[in-house]
Every structure is written in structure tokens, then in C-alpha cells.
Amino acid sequence: MNLRQILTSTLNVLMMLFGVFMSYKAWGLYTNCESPLVVVLSESMEPAFARGDILFLSNPKKPVEIGDICVFKIPGRGIPIVHRVLVNHDFSKPNQQFLLTKGDNNRVDDRAHLYQELYSNKDMSWVEPKHIVGRVQGQLPYLGMFTIYMTDYPMLKFALLSAVGLVVFLYE
């Protein structure tokens, strides 16, 4: 294998990765959602969603309603949370909603522990529209377990990337 073949293989892999990344970003623009795919990381939404399910999100212009399953981020915490809206305090001004959420598998609503624990302002008891990443539109059961395993076992990630790289370079 000469240098030209190695460079060609490398460019092919980079173009493929760039295409996947651009498709993901275009999908995000189409759905009006910064992250149109998320993986469920806990059991808090069972039986609706199991750990490892991939969720498809969108962010429609209409206000959030009771029963919607939303993915939201709390300031200071990088991992998004998937919970159902229980209570909606809607005001006359746009984006003046205050939402109370709860995981289907949790005994109490998020006001009891999650908001108090995560917000730096201990008086915060509601999720606001600015925190919502998207609303769940669909799911693929258990296909996200792959990403969970790669996070839980970092050596698996390196082994997989090494194997893919080896196959790409040896194939040509």
C-alpha cells in the first residue's frame, strides 16, 4: 500500500464522516431541534421508554401541552432529561409557560428532588420553554445501548475504532 492509497482511503473516510455530520445538522434544522436524536440513559420513563431507546425529537412551534414527553436540559447539567409534562401553567405572554415534569417510573414529580438538586437557584420549581430541547415524536427500542456500552466501557470504543480503521485501510 503506497502513500497515495493511504491518503485516498483517509479522505474517503473523512468525507463519509463529514456527510453524516452534515446530514445530522440538516435534520436538526428541519426539526427545529439542536439535538434531534437522544438516547434514554435511565429507567425513569419505563414502561414508555426503556434504557437504551433512541428517541426522535422535534420542536414544533405550538406550546407544550400536558402529557407531552419532553427532553429538557437544566442549566449546569450537560445530560438531557426525558420526562412527561404533568402540569402546565400557561400565561398570556408567549414563552411564559411553567411546566412540572415527572418520569413515568418515578414515585414523585421532579419538583421534589430534581429541580431543587440541579438548579443553582433553590427556589426554582418549574421547567421553562427555554430549557426544552425537543418533544419526543418516535423511538427505536434498545438501539442506543451501543452508545451506552461505549460510554461505560471506553476500551470498547477504541477497539471498535481501531477495527474499523484497519478494515478501511486493508480493504483498499
Side-chain angles (χ1 to χ4, degrees):
M1 191 179 250
N2 63 24
L3 180 62
R4 185 178 186 148
Q5 289 174 327
I6 292 172
L7 289 175
T8 301
S9 295
T10 303
L11 284 175
N12 284 338
V13 169
L14 289 175
M15 286 191 321
M16 182 186 66
L17 291 174
F18 182 72
V20 169
F21 177 74
M22 291 306 295
S23 298
Y24 181 77
K25 286 301 183 183
W27 190 12
L29 287 173
Y30 175 72
T31 60
N32 191 28
C33 194
E34 72 180 62
S35 180
L37 287 175
V38 294
V39 176
V40 178
L41 298 176
S42 73
E43 294 87 12
S44 70
M45 281 301 292
E46 286 185 350
F49 305 120
R51 185 173 192 253
D53 288 357
I54 294 178
L55 303 179
F56 298 100
L57 307 180
S58 71
N59 213 353
K61 299 282 186 212
K62 66 179 186 163
V64 178
E65 298 175 2
I66 294 173
D68 285 351
I69 299 174
C70 294
V71 176
F72 57 94
K73 282 187 181 177
I74 293 179
R77 181 176 177 164
I79 299 172
I81 299 165
V82 181
H83 280 175
R84 188 180 306 273
V85 175
L86 289 182
V87 177
N88 178 359
H89 289 286
D90 198 1
F91 297 98
S92 58
K93 296 179 185 175
N95 286 334
Q96 279 288 10
Q97 282 186 305
F98 293 101
L99 308 168
L100 177 62
T101 59
K102 176 185 174 290
D104 290 354
N105 199 27
N106 294 347
R107 285 185 276 147
V108 294
D109 62 48
D110 293 338
R111 211 172 17 185
H113 59 87
L114 187 64
Y115 304 151
Q116 301 298 318
E117 174 184 315
L118 296 175
Y119 277 111
S120 56
N121 178 3
K122 297 298 182 188
D123 296 329
M124 188 67 186
S125 297
W126 307 94
V127 172
E128 298 176 35
K130 65 182 177 186
H131 301 132
I132 294 177
V133 175
R135 289 181 238 174
V136 177
Q137 301 300 320
Q139 77 181 75
L140 284 174
Y142 302 110
L143 289 179
M145 285 305 288
F146 182 69
T147 60
I148 292 173
Y149 290 145
M150 291 203 346
T151 303
D152 290 348
Y153 307 105
M155 292 306 292
L156 179 64
K157 186 186 317 182
F158 296 119
L160 181 68
L161 288 174
S162 299
V164 168
L166 188 63
V167 166
V168 166
F169 286 117
L170 293 179
Y171 178 72
E172 302 226 2

